[in-house]
Amino acid sequence: MEMKKRISLELRNRKPAEVAELVVDNCRSSDGEVEGLTDEYSELEILSMVNIGLTSLSKLPSLPKLRKLEVSDNTISGGLDTLAEKCPNLTYLNLSGNKIKELSTIEVLQNLKNLTSLDLYSCEVTTLDEYRESVFELLPQLTYLDGYDQEDNEVPDSENDNDDDDEAGPPGDDDEDEDDEDDDEDEGSEGDEDEVGLSYLMKDGIQDEEDDGDYVEEEEDDDEEEEEDGDEDGVRGEKRKRDADDEGDDGDEDDE
């Protein structure tokens, strides 16, 4: 798809002045120049033109608010001096995969006073001796080159988004800790209840056994009383029998 047509589609019924970000990657520039962009895109802050066949940025319009420019995987070999004039507030420039061979080609970027990050990955210039040291010396405003600072610390873009979260701890951790504590307390309480319940049951069991023993003893006492009663009845029966015999004897004597 041609670059002009792609830009027209990306507008999506908006006016150029209403566009803050424009991505036209993988379309095609017919003559290696920027096409379809005008000064009307005055509010544009992010522009991505990756792999569209660019050989020059000389026809880039004035974009005073542009902060981020992605032009990787093209065949740009020079003409970067126009950037300071057209995009004075540029802070990020990605030229990786282009035909940048000499340090003198990027020397003109000194005029981009706000430029803090430059990417030249896969450009031939990166094969030069002391490449990184030379670029940082040539462009003192830079903080990051090819994603790393002078101490080889990686760009913390992704980390910045998580700094607050890291300091405060991952969301929900405190709640989870509190829940875990509550769960532990509940489990402890349940354990205590189980122990109390078991002790109570054991106590009841002991009392039941004692009660059963008492009951048996009472039954034994009743049996003994019955035996004693039986013995007493037997004694009384024998006494009555002896009395009857005595009366019989007295009767016989009277008859005589």
Side-chain angles (χ1 to χ4, degrees), residues 116-118 132-133 136 142-156:
T116 58
S117 183
L118 175 65
R132 289 182 59 80
E133 293 81 357
F136 277 118
L142 281 185
T143 302
Y144 300 102
L145 175 62
D146 301 334
Y148 294 86
D149 64 13
Q150 295 188 58
E151 282 73 37
D152 290 331
N153 296 312
E154 193 172 0
V155 178

Side-chain angles (χ1 to χ4, degrees), residues 75-86:
T75 56
I76 298 170
S77 59
L80 301 178
D81 53 324
T82 188
L83 291 175
E85 178 187 352
K86 303 293 182 63

Side-chain angles (χ1 to χ4, degrees), residues 29 40 48 63 90 100 111 123 130-131 142 161 164 167-168 185 196 210 219 241 244 246 252-253:
S29 170
E40 294 178 342
S48 183
L63 303 171
L90 203 63
I100 311 297
N111 297 321
C123 292
E130 298 183 349
Y131 151 72
L142 281 185
D161 295 336
D164 295 338
E167 292 176 0
E185 291 178 358
V196 171
E210 292 177 351
E219 288 182 348
K241 183 178 181 182
D246 292 339
D252 294 338
E253 291 177 357

Side-chain angles (χ1 to χ4, degrees), residues 36-97:
L37 279 179
T38 67
D39 295 343
E40 294 178 342
Y41 289 84
S42 57
E43 299 298 315
L44 199 61
E45 297 181 11
I46 300 173
L47 175 60
S48 183
M49 300 183 291
V50 176
N51 188 32
I52 66 172
L54 286 179
T55 59
S56 172
L57 294 173
S58 60
K59 292 186 178 180
L60 191 70
S62 178
L63 303 171
K65 291 189 176 183
L66 194 68
R67 297 181 295 102
K68 183 176 181 178
L69 178 60
E70 292 264 6
V71 286
S72 59
D73 298 328
N74 287 290
T75 56
I76 298 170
S77 59
L80 301 178
D81 53 324
T82 188
L83 291 175
E85 178 187 352
K86 303 293 182 63
C87 313
N89 291 308
L90 203 63
T91 61
Y92 174 89
L93 176 60
N94 189 345
L95 288 166
S96 62

Side-chain angles (χ1 to χ4, degrees), residues 159-177:
E159 297 177 6
N160 284 339
D161 295 336
N162 298 324
D163 280 348
D164 295 338
D165 293 339
D166 291 341
E167 292 176 0
D173 274 6
D174 294 338
D175 295 337
E176 290 178 1
D177 291 341

Side-chain angles (χ1 to χ4, degrees), residues 1-5 27-36 51-55 59 74:
M1 182 183 294
E2 292 184 357
M3 186 175 181
K4 287 182 179 179
K5 185 176 181 180
C27 63
R28 192 54 48 190
S29 170
S30 59
D31 59 0
E33 295 284 353
V34 176
E35 302 172 337
N51 188 32
I52 66 172
L54 286 179
T55 59
K59 292 186 178 180
N74 287 290

Side-chain angles (χ1 to χ4, degrees), residues 3 55 59 129 143 158 166 194-195 209 239:
M3 186 175 181
T55 59
K59 292 186 178 180
D129 292 339
T143 302
S158 58
D166 291 341
D194 291 341
E195 292 179 0
E209 291 177 359
K239 185 178 181 181

